[in-house]
Amino acid sequence: TRSPFMLARRAQKHLQAYDMSKVLAETASEFGESLLLDQLLEGGKLDKDMQVHLLSHACDGFLGTVNRQVCFTEFEIAAHEKAKESSLTLEFLKEKYREIASAYYGPSVDLMPDEAWGFAAIPHFVFNPFYCLSYALSQVAVLALYGSWKRTGTAFVPGYRALLESGGSGTPVDLLL
């Protein structure tokens, strides 16, 4: 199989991959993960406990990724807004992250004592601002794409391939519609 970057090479200029939508950049790998999960579950070789484990892991991963990435994005927005007013302090960052994480996890979850440091493990905040939202959006887009593939079968393939070939030639909304 070819990578999305290889498929998109005709639709974009040299080095345009750096401008490729992060939503679309994640699509092929996440779609492949969905295919693999289906193959494992439908292969008939796994016992019930392993099937339950794989499904639980997939659901936990999806919810954790979408929920957590949007939480990170809300924190990142708050940090940028604060930085417009004044310098960021460690105290502000820890307090804001803990506040947002508490809201996302809800009142039934007790955060671990070090949870306030959770933001510090995300290099995207510095090296690739707002990447976390793109990752969450790609998860949701792939869920929709995969549902379409499951409904239409091989008729889905030309449109999906065209999407991957489109590379950075448009916005995710334009390319996904």
Side-chain angles (χ1 to χ4, degrees), residues 6 8 19 36 77 83 85 93 97 121 129-130 134 159:
M6 288 297 295
D19 292 330
L36 176 61
I77 290 168
E85 303 166 6
L93 295 172
Y97 185 77
F130 298 102
S134 297

Side-chain angles (χ1 to χ4, degrees), residues 127 131 140 166:
F127 300 111
Y131 181 83
V140 174
S166 66

Side-chain angles (χ1 to χ4, degrees), residues 71 74-75 78-79 82 88-103 111 113-120:
C71 175
E74 189 172 330
F75 167 78
K82 178 69 172 176
L88 296 174
T89 65
L90 180 58
E91 293 76 27
F92 169 81
L93 295 172
K94 288 172 60 177
E95 181 180 316
K96 182 53 74 175
Y97 185 77
R98 186 165 185 70
E99 171 190 320
I100 292 171
S102 293
L111 297 179
D114 290 339
E115 185 66 28
W117 288 94
F119 72 91

Side-chain angles (χ1 to χ4, degrees), residues 78-170:
H80 280 261
E81 289 300 315
K82 178 69 172 176
K84 288 178 186 177
E85 303 166 6
S86 63
S87 297
L88 296 174
T89 65
L90 180 58
E91 293 76 27
F92 169 81
L93 295 172
K94 288 172 60 177
E95 181 180 316
K96 182 53 74 175
Y97 185 77
R98 186 165 185 70
E99 171 190 320
I100 292 171
S102 293
Y104 271 79
Y105 287 109
S108 298
V109 174
D110 292 328
L111 297 179
M112 296 181 71
D114 290 339
E115 185 66 28
W117 288 94
F119 72 91
I122 311 302
H124 294 87
F125 294 150
V126 175
F127 300 111
N128 202 343
F130 298 102
Y131 181 83
C132 294
L133 183 60
S134 297
Y135 194 61
L137 291 173
S138 69
Q139 292 272 325
V140 174
V142 166
L143 185 63
L145 288 168
Y146 199 72
S148 180
W149 177 78
K150 293 292 276 187
R151 284 188 307 279
T152 61
T154 57
F156 172 81
V157 174
Y160 179 64
R161 185 176 175 102
L163 172 67
L164 297 179
E165 288 174 347
S166 66
S169 65

